[in-house]
């Protein structure tokens, strides 16, 4: 199975389970390829649906920290890391409302992305706060 098929199948699973989501960053080359890992925002009210959707997917939990779940997915002897954000924060301090981001997503190819304003806020603050770089 190709990454493209795997990614599209994953999006279909989210849609089937009515999980509201957004691909936060690094989506330009999706679903053909990805650069590092994939950052998804999951609507906080859809956590239960999200975990039900994951039931039939082979995953490995890498790490879980405050409102971020890091999982490694396997397909065709390949591995890819996913970060699932249920709240966008730094050390527990929310800097953007994920529900609002998801309520204002744009359709891009076969999946959802943030609008320009939210993408800028997320990218800028993630680089500044989480990565300590600009």
């Amino acid at each position: 199975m190709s990454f493209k098929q795997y990614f599209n199948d994953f999006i279909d699973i989210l849609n089937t389970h009515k999980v509201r989501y957004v691909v936060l960053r690094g989506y330009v080359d999706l679903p053909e390829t990805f650069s590092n890992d994939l950052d998804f925002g999951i609507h906080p009210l859809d956590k239960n649906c999200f975990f039900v959707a994951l039931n039939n997917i082979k995953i490995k939990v890498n790490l879980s920290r405050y409102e971020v779940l890091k999982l490694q997915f396997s397909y065709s002897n390949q591995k890819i890391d996913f970060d699932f954000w249920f709240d966008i924060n730094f050390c527990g301090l929310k800097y953007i409302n994920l529900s609002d981001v998801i309520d204002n997503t744009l359709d891009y190819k076969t999946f959802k992305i943030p609008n320009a304003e939210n993408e800028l806020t997320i990218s800028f603050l993630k680089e500044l706060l989480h990565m300590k770089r600009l």
Side-chain angles (χ1 to χ4, degrees):
M1 170 184 303
S2 69
F3 171 74
K4 180 178 182 176
Q5 183 62 49
Y6 184 82
F7 180 83
N8 286 334
D9 288 351
F10 179 71
I11 295 299
D12 287 344
I13 289 169
L14 294 180
N15 290 334
T16 298
H17 286 86
K18 300 188 182 342
V19 175
R20 292 169 287 176
Y21 71 89
V22 60
V23 179
L24 294 170
R25 303 165 16 115
Y27 57 79
V28 174
D29 294 325
L30 290 175
E32 287 75 23
T33 189
F34 63 97
S35 58
N36 186 23
D37 65 357
L38 296 176
D39 290 311
F40 274 77
I42 303 296
H43 196 288
L45 296 178
D46 294 348
K47 270 188 188 179
N48 290 338
C49 297
F50 171 72
F51 286 110
V52 168
L54 291 183
N55 274 339
N56 296 317
I57 301 173
K58 183 179 175 183
I59 58 174
K60 174 185 169 192
V61 176
N62 285 342
L63 170 71
S64 184
R65 65 178 189 252
Y66 186 77
E67 296 297 328
V68 180
L69 178 63
K70 295 177 144 316
L71 300 177
Q72 187 176 76
F73 289 64
S74 300
Y75 70 97
S76 301
N77 296 322
Q78 303 290 321
K79 294 182 174 42
I80 179 170
D81 294 323
F82 282 69
D83 293 346
F84 295 99
W85 298 76
F86 301 100
D87 182 19
I88 299 181
N89 66 73
F90 180 71
C91 298
L93 299 174
K94 186 184 296 191
Y95 57 84
I96 190 167
N97 186 317
L98 186 54
S99 299
D100 291 342
V101 172
I102 291 172
D103 289 343
N104 292 290
T105 58
L106 304 173
D107 290 325
Y108 182 80
K109 298 180 183 177
T110 60
F111 51 93
K112 305 284 186 185
I113 64 170
N115 66 29
E117 178 184 349
N118 288 330
E119 183 177 7
L120 176 62
T121 301
I122 292 165
S123 293
F124 179 80
L125 291 172
K126 185 170 184 196
E127 291 299 314
L128 178 66
L129 297 174
H130 298 263
M131 309 303 279
K132 299 188 182 3
R133 66 178 182 214
L134 281 180

